[in-house]
Amino acid sequence: MSTEPTTSPPARGTAQRGERIADWADGRLGIYTLARANMRKIFPDHWSFMLGEICLYSFLILILTGVYLTLFFHPSMTEVEYHGSYVPLQGQMMSEAYASTLDISFDVRGGLLVRQLHHWAALIFIAGMIVHMMRVFFTGAFRKPREVNWVFGVLLLFLGMMTGFTGYSLPDDLLSGTGMHFMEGAILSVPVVGTYLSFFLFGGEYPGHDVIPRFYSIHVLLLPGIMLGLVVAHLILVFFHKHTQFAGPGRTNKNVVGMPLMPVYMAKAGGFFFLVFGVLAVIAGVTQINPIWAFGPYRADQVAAGSQPDWYMGFAEGLLRIMPGWEIDFWGHSLALGVFIPLAGFAVVLAVIAVYPFIESWVTGDKREHHILDRPRNVPTRTAFGVAWLTAYIVAMIAGGNDIIATRLHLSINAITWFSRIAFFAAPVIAFFVTKRICLGLQRQDRDKVLHGRETGIIKRLPHGEFIEVHAPLSQEELHTLTAHEQYRPVELTPAVDDNGVERKVTRSQRLRARLSRSYYGADGQVAKPTAEEHRAISSGHEHH
């Protein structure tokens, strides 16, 4: 009889130790209860929801690559003589920040790839946020109870742009220095306190000796910390609220049709993360961006010819180029309104975008929760506003590159500037009305499709000689999708006199609300969707072929 010990007792002991550890953790952290409540949470399956995931994954890549770059970057403006691998700049005097960036690019293994991956991830992050927010805006996903999440998104977009700008300035090359000079002028244009703000930021006269260390702290600590907190809050609210979904059979404001978080959605999300990471790595490996060695170190008395900021800041420069030079003296102060007005206008527009959910809720008077998304065509006024805003944004970006456009296309820079000045005001108005008419036309097309069915392209001749096209009836799923949207009635002003003959006082806000409500949901704002009675009358009669 063998006396060798069996393996069962140690296995049971290991399992018991694992159970004790799990029980200990669950008793203090509530992991099991939390997982049981949330791991089976349902997420709808639609390609547009991946836009938010692209933003999240790009942000994670930014953090990972940023940590790597901080190991080799020296945020100092102390002048040193360069003796690195890049021969054309050897012996040149430059800041430690610029020299360390050159070392990362040429002497650190994989440094240039990580630098470019970091830069490309920043561009994709902001682009993804803009496209994601447009999806949320056009589909009405910002409505109750997600107004706060929309505000978080606007703050994340603004902070992302500021974080990108501070990171873009850290290498201390001639191109980024030109961008800092631009920012200094913008800060100085702030009435009364502009000079104090500039002195505080630069630590003295521009450019000072503290701007790179201060930007470094802002870029790697302050702004990313705030953004990380907002991202976590955003995800918590996404979990807390039911996920939005597009209209379809079985989908209501009280349920979510889709896949569970574990294991299906997590598996797809994990694969998509590596897909985003791989695409960004390929772009960073084959497409050069921000070659600082080609610009040289920054000098306050020089400006890089044809310098352009990253695309997401192009609109800011465009606003300044659109605005005529306008400077006045007021109470002994020189006000550079040609700089201050465009930047103040941008702040106002950003604030309006942030509070838009509350404005629309006030106009409609709708305080209900919404978990079913709108088709953009079914809310023409909102869709037209979004397209008008994008049109103004694009015109401002074109104006920001008027010098490059003029030299490349051999055009007059003055002609491009004046075109931009006119188009900045005219193009959004034109885009608004064109978009609204297109949406109304699509609504009429949907109405005809519901009532008469889908065109088949088959022509049939009737006994009396008339030629008609045979229409195929829509499925119940298609009929539900085309008719599931709600149609609001415009708010009407109360009668000027009540039943007792007493005059009612109508305030300006009430008049404004009624006017806006008519523009949103009046006869020119929506096409009445077909009723079930109309559909039955036509489908059962001789008019349906």
Side-chain angles (χ1 to χ4, degrees), residues 230-365:
L230 288 174
V231 168
V232 171
H234 180 82
L235 294 177
I236 290 174
L237 287 178
V238 169
F239 262 80
F240 179 71
H241 301 138
K242 286 188 295 185
H243 204 290
T244 56
Q245 56 187 341
F246 286 95
R251 300 174 183 176
T252 68
N253 280 316
K254 298 181 179 180
N255 69 355
V256 179
V257 178
M259 302 173 299
L261 178 63
M262 287 291 290
V264 180
Y265 190 82
M266 286 297 293
K268 293 180 66 175
F272 191 51
F273 168 76
F274 288 107
L275 180 62
V276 173
F277 200 123
V279 170
L280 281 172
V282 170
I283 295 175
V286 302
T287 308
Q288 180 176 272
I289 190 170
N290 197 21
I292 62 163
W293 52 88
F295 306 122
Y298 176 62
R299 287 183 52 179
D301 59 340
Q302 294 181 355
V303 174
S307 59
Q308 295 290 321
D310 282 334
W311 69 268
Y312 53 85
M313 295 298 292
F315 77 96
E317 186 156 338
L319 292 176
L320 295 181
R321 299 189 185 192
I322 289 174
M323 184 72 182
W326 185 16
E327 185 173 330
I328 63 173
D329 291 326
F330 183 73
W331 282 4
H333 296 278
S334 294
L335 303 182
L337 300 182
V339 179
F340 178 70
I341 288 180
L343 298 182
F346 163 68
V348 171
V349 170
L350 194 67
V352 171
I353 293 174
V355 301
Y356 180 84
F358 306 98
I359 296 175
E360 183 170 310
S361 176
W362 174 69
V363 171
T364 61

Side-chain angles (χ1 to χ4, degrees), residues 43-58 124 128-129 131-132 135 243 246 259 265 268-269 271-273 275-276:
F43 283 85
D45 187 17
H46 193 273
W47 66 267
S48 65
F49 299 140
M50 293 191 296
L51 296 172
E53 295 182 40
I54 292 175
C55 303
L56 177 61
Y57 301 152
S58 300
I124 298 299
M129 277 200 294
V131 178
H132 174 61
R135 197 276 301 172
H243 204 290
F246 286 95
M259 302 173 299
Y265 190 82
K268 293 180 66 175
F272 191 51
F273 168 76
L275 180 62
V276 173

